[in-house]
Each structure stands twice: as structure tokens, then as C-alpha cells.
Amino acid sequence: MIEDAPDEHAIGYQVLPRGVPVVAADGTRVGTFERAIHHYREHMLDGVVMRTEHGRFFVDAPEIARITNRRVILTIDTAAVAELPPYRSFLGRRIR
């Protein structure tokens, strides 16, 4: 389990700044936060777009354990992150 720093606290995805580190469940930094995808019909987080040295990838909301003022912590490990789908957008939605 990844422990929070003393000055770390949960925040909403709507105020998460671009560039915050994204960390896999095993503690490895795997990228940086680029943007949140909001599901307008359901009024909730659909997922986030993460930037890595290999491009942009979509992380589905169930794969996000916690969003804090310092990082995004995933429920998946580094190996599973390597299998995430590339992010493609069309009017703000992903296309698989």
C-alpha cells in the first residue's frame, strides 16, 4: 500500500492540475496527469488521460485508487499500465 505524505490529501478530479505524477499500485511513477474525462450523462469521472514517454493513454475510472493534491494512485501495477489503450479523442470522448 502506498502511504500519503503528511501534506497530502484527497482532492476532486476537477481541480487536479496538469503534470501531477501518476503512480502505479506498486509505487512506480508511470506518467503524468494530462486531463480528466467527465461522463456528462452520469455526472462522474469516466477516466483520466495520462502522458508517458510513449504517448497518451486512457486510464479508466475503476483503475484509479485515489486522487490527491500530489499524485494519482492507480489500482493496477506497472505491467497492467503497459497494456493501457492509447488515448484518441473525438469531441472529448475516447475512441477504441
Side-chain angles (χ1 to χ4, degrees):
M1 180 178 189
I2 299 173
E3 293 193 27
D4 291 346
D7 63 340
E8 189 171 10
H9 57 274
I11 63 170
Y13 67 90
Q14 302 93 329
V15 297
L16 185 64
R18 183 175 287 175
V20 170
V22 177
V23 180
D26 56 19
T28 304
R29 182 179 171 160
V30 293
T32 58
F33 170 78
E34 185 170 292
R35 63 182 290 222
I37 306 297
H38 180 79
H39 191 290
Y40 290 100
R41 186 175 300 156
E42 300 293 328
H43 302 289
M44 59 190 277
L45 177 66
D46 191 31
V48 300
V49 178
M50 171 183 70
R51 182 172 291 280
T52 73
E53 61 190 26
H54 303 290
R56 298 182 317 160
F57 296 90
F58 179 76
V59 182
D60 203 10
E63 296 166 336
I64 300 169
R66 185 166 160 86
I67 296 174
T68 75
N69 59 316
R70 300 185 65 175
R71 60 191 167 169
V72 176
I73 303 168
L74 305 179
T75 61
I76 58 176
D77 63 15
T78 307
V81 169
E83 297 185 21
L84 289 172
Y87 176 71
R88 306 268 189 268
S89 67
F90 176 71
L91 299 177
R93 298 293 299 160
R94 73 179 196 271
I95 299 173
R96 288 191 182 210

